[in-house]
Amino acid sequence: MNSEPALHPTRSLLLQHGLQLMREHGLRQLTVRGLCQQAGVNTGSFVYHFGSRQQFAAELLEHWYGPLYQQLQAVQQQEGAALSRLSAMLLQLMDFLREQRGLISQLLLDAGSGEAAVLAFIRNLAPRHPQLLLQCLSEAQQAGQLGVAPPLHQLMFLMSALGFPVLLQQLGNGKAMLPDMLQKALASYALEPAHLQQRLNWALKGLSCQE
């Protein structure tokens, strides 16, 4: 059961509209005035609750990401084989990526434009879900379920095998970048849960066969 206190209604409203704006246009186009106009809140209330645009952006990103991290922590703390927990966390992470791929694309554009809050968020991710995955990889190695390559290299391989097709599909969505047949095939390969599970199986099998 979630023991966190309920947000003040105005604070919650601003975060809700901030998330919508971030999803549609990225943080790089979010202004305090525009946010307050959309939410029907005066700028004084915004300053009272968040202090500054930078603090709001940081809280907004945590509001978006925090529930995922808590879910992954819960899986990591479960009993059972490390490889099973690793698979469950990767599938959960990829489900999030599939559902949030448009917003994540905006965040990558934000980072490229130098949006400070996004750059700070990315820099501070290392001890969070990547560390959970690295811990499971190390435990799976110790149990003899995976090869002995550096866990960080294994993680980068897994994330590229699983996540890159999703981002590539999002990049080409609505654009005539590929022939129609290939575009449809990429959408199926990247986004359908059965194909995601297949990529995960292939990747883990490859890692388990390392010399």
Side-chain angles (χ1 to χ4, degrees):
M1 184 170 63
N2 190 349
S3 60
E4 293 183 3
L7 290 174
H8 186 281
T10 299
R11 193 181 196 91
S12 179
L13 183 64
L14 286 165
L15 289 169
Q16 175 187 338
H17 282 277
L19 187 61
Q20 179 182 342
L21 290 171
M22 184 169 68
R23 194 180 306 278
E24 293 174 354
H25 307 294
L27 275 174
R28 62 196 178 281
Q29 295 191 33
L30 188 150
T31 66
V32 173
R33 184 180 298 276
L35 170 65
C36 290
Q37 286 178 345
Q38 179 160 324
V41 173
N42 63 59
T43 55
S45 292
F46 175 91
V47 173
Y48 173 79
H49 285 286
F50 296 102
S52 67
R53 179 188 181 278
Q54 180 72 7
Q55 291 175 342
F56 171 77
E59 183 166 335
L60 179 62
L61 288 166
E62 183 61 28
H63 181 72
W64 169 70
Y65 168 80
L68 169 69
Y69 181 53
Q70 292 173 3
Q71 292 166 12
L72 294 174
Q73 283 180 308
V75 174
Q76 167 65 335
Q77 292 165 6
Q78 291 175 357
E79 299 290 336
L83 197 60
S84 297
R85 287 183 281 119
L86 175 66
S87 297
M89 284 195 291
L90 285 169
L91 289 174
Q92 201 165 29
L93 188 60
M94 288 305 107
D95 281 343
F96 182 81
L97 175 59
R98 285 191 306 114
E99 293 170 2
Q100 302 291 328
R101 61 190 184 278
L103 192 154
I104 291 170
S105 296
Q106 291 288 1
L107 292 181
L108 293 175
L109 293 173
D110 286 336
S113 71
E115 180 65 42
V118 176
L119 293 173
F121 172 75
I122 293 172
R123 285 195 299 267
N124 293 328
L125 276 180
R128 306 189 78 181
H129 76 264
Q131 187 59 43
L132 297 178
L133 294 168
L134 286 170
Q135 184 177 341
C136 261
L137 281 164
S138 296
E139 292 175 11
Q141 284 184 336
Q142 293 166 15
Q145 297 173 311
L146 293 177
V148 295
L152 182 57
H153 293 180
Q154 293 181 332
L155 178 58
M156 289 190 289
F157 168 71
L158 287 166
M159 295 307 296
S160 62
L162 299 175
F164 180 73
V166 180
L167 294 177
L168 181 61
Q169 191 279 333
Q170 176 63 29
L171 179 66
N173 190 33
K175 304 179 181 68
M177 296 177 60
L178 295 171
D180 187 59
M181 180 180 70
L182 289 180
Q183 189 66 41
K184 290 180 179 177
L186 175 61
S188 172
Y189 175 73
L191 302 178
E192 290 185 9
H195 289 153
L196 177 59
Q197 180 69 64
Q198 184 182 60
R199 296 203 305 278
L200 176 59
N201 293 342
W202 286 342
L204 291 178
K205 183 176 181 180
L207 290 177
S208 69
C209 295
Q210 295 176 88
E211 295 292 336

